[in-house]
Amino acid sequence: MNKRGIVLTPPDFSGVDWKSGLAELRLNTLGVHSGGGANHDVLRQLGATASEEFRRDFRSAGIECEYEVHAAASLLPVSLFESRPEYFALSFREESRSATANWCVTNPDVPAILAANAGRLAEKLRSTTHRYYFWGADREDAYCHCRECSKYTASELNLLGVNAIADGIRRVDPLAEVACLAYLGCYEVPERVEPRENVFLEFAPYVRCYHHALNDPACAVNRRFFNAFRELGAFFGMRNTHILEYWLDSSLFSGYRKPARRPFVRPELLRRDLDAYAGAGIRNITSFAVYMDGEYFSAHGTAALEDYAAALREFLPDDGSVPGAGAVRPDSENQVPCY
Ligand SMILES: [Zn+2]
Ligand SMILES: [Zn+2]
């Protein structure tokens, strides 16, 4: 199946019938996100969206339901910090270990703790696609740099944690596949760690440029992200890779402060990005659409959302085919005017 998705937080359901909206737009996968920033109680933030009833309701309209969450506080509870500070990360920027970053994954006890807690969380946040997205802390210096961990890159420490999480989730859902998120400091290809066979790449090009297409060679910002996409895709396998984009992320384009602004991504740019992704063999694409609630649509209308859905239907059609590279190949290398 080609997956055409959208990622929302619980407040975005205010004043919008997203179930009918997604069904009409033929977006077939909803990702529910508990929010970015500081570590938090994922289940509390998700509220009713974490329930079996919620998932059943969306599924009855043909929409799959997944959870995309920064789950550090569930995977290694802060309550352990006082008795077991050595389980937590020692950042190279800090003098002592931090309860609000990730974990010391080379500590021999830690992988089993992550696995057990990931299994418990997966039992509550059942993904209807068997694909799970349980991420670490939402901060760049989240990874441990103790004597043992310091030989690994952030990408490798991330993958070591993901492997443990994947082992744990598989115990409660034998069909589980688990995302390794490429985000913030984790765009390098791991060299010292191999992914488990049920781990796939989730590529989230945060702080990429939206004036230029991802593969525009004239954009120095995006060159880094496009190279990372190709190298990571080759390492993990493109076909199973999940793209998490920001094209519709009003919260990002509003500087994470309301009032919500309309994302300035142009339809031509979106199509050229999709050409780059789908042309590389990608079948799973979603975008944050945080802040797209009833108030947003009253102020800005539905054009950005409708255009996004139409472009995804074009590049990732229902018959499962992929148009292949070059569907919107530019006449010149720099087809999308920038400023
Ligand atoms: Zn460590
Ligand atoms: Zn640029």
Side-chain angles (χ1 to χ4, degrees):
M1 187 182 89
N2 283 340
K3 275 171 64 181
R4 302 182 294 266
I6 201 159
V7 177
L8 300 166
T9 60
D12 305 321
F13 290 81
S14 164
V16 187
D17 178 358
W18 272 110
K19 185 178 72 165
S20 306
L22 296 181
E24 273 167 35
L25 293 166
R26 290 170 38 222
L27 292 174
N28 58 21
T29 309
L30 168 66
V32 193
H33 176 53
S34 57
N39 287 354
H40 52 271
D41 182 335
V42 161
L43 292 173
R44 181 187 291 181
Q45 293 298 114
L46 291 174
T49 67
S51 67
E52 174 67 36
E53 194 183 1
F54 177 87
R55 295 189 287 271
R56 205 180 308 126
D57 189 35
F58 272 79
R59 218 173 182 201
S60 71
I63 300 154
E64 301 290 350
C65 197
E66 303 174 333
Y67 296 93
E68 305 222 15
V69 290
H70 289 288
S74 304
L75 298 169
L76 186 65
V78 177
S79 56
L80 283 172
F81 189 70
E82 207 174 297
S83 59
R84 292 291 187 180
E86 70 273 20
Y87 289 172
F88 292 78
L90 173 66
S91 161
F92 57 84
R93 286 190 195 151
E94 285 169 22
E95 196 175 14
S96 50
R97 293 180 186 263
S98 166
T100 60
N102 286 333
W103 30 80
C104 177
V105 79
T106 61
N107 179 297
D109 296 344
V110 164
I113 295 169
L114 296 180
N117 286 327
R120 273 182 217 117
L121 189 61
E123 281 180 321
K124 299 200 174 89
L125 299 180
R126 283 276 172 181
S127 165
T128 67
T129 61
H130 303 282
R131 281 161 77 88
Y132 293 84
Y133 310 80
F134 294 168
W135 313 320
D138 188 12
R139 50 186 274 189
E140 186 139 21
D141 61 341
Y143 295 91
C144 191
H145 201 68
C146 72
R147 192 185 299 261
E148 265 310 297
C149 291
S150 59
K151 62 180 150 215
Y152 294 105
T153 64
S155 293
E156 290 163 345
L157 293 169
N158 183 30
L159 181 53
L160 283 168
V162 167
N163 281 344
I165 290 165
D167 291 344
I169 300 180
R170 187 154 264 192
R171 275 179 226 137
V172 301
D173 180 350
L175 299 176
E177 296 183 296
V178 176
C180 182
L181 179 67
Y183 172 71
L184 293 180
C186 294
Y187 294 110
E188 272 176 73
V189 173
E191 288 177 3
R192 293 163 195 81
V193 184
E194 285 293 319
R196 293 282 193 274
E197 127 330 281
N198 63 329
V199 167
F200 63 90
L201 170 67
E202 175 171 33
F203 181 73
Y206 190 58
V207 300
R208 60 160 284 194
C209 162
Y210 285 99
H211 292 293
H212 295 103
L214 187 75
N215 62 353
D216 188 332
C219 175
V221 173
N222 284 351
R223 273 204 299 275
R224 172 176 170 242
F225 288 101
F226 191 54
N227 287 339
F229 163 66
R230 285 193 294 194
E231 288 166 9
L232 286 165
F235 177 76
F236 283 93
M238 278 292 183
R239 198 182 159 78
N240 215 14
T241 289
H242 173 96
I243 302 297
L244 175 57
E245 264 283 1
Y246 298 82
W247 298 300
L248 293 184
D249 190 6
S250 169
S251 72
L252 171 69
F253 290 90
S254 308
Y256 301 106
R257 292 177 74 149
K258 292 208 173 177
R261 291 194 210 145
R262 189 183 194 278
F264 64 72
V265 178
R266 299 155 52 97
E268 301 82 3
L269 182 140
L270 172 64
R271 279 171 174 74
R272 192 165 160 193
D273 280 353
L274 288 172
D275 186 55
Y277 286 133
I282 295 292
R283 325 288 294 263
N284 306 289
I285 300 183
T286 196
S287 172
F288 281 113
V290 178
Y291 283 6
M292 285 200 171
D293 57 7
E295 207 171 284
Y296 172 93
F297 290 115
S298 301
H300 304 293
T302 56
L305 173 65
E306 284 177 22
D307 182 66
Y308 167 76
L312 280 194
R313 292 195 303 268
E314 187 184 322
F315 281 87
L316 298 177
D318 281 327
D319 64 10
S321 65
V322 173
V328 293
R329 188 57 64 207
D331 297 331
S332 71
E333 279 290 29
N334 196 4
Q335 181 203 41
V336 180
C338 358
Y339 302 105

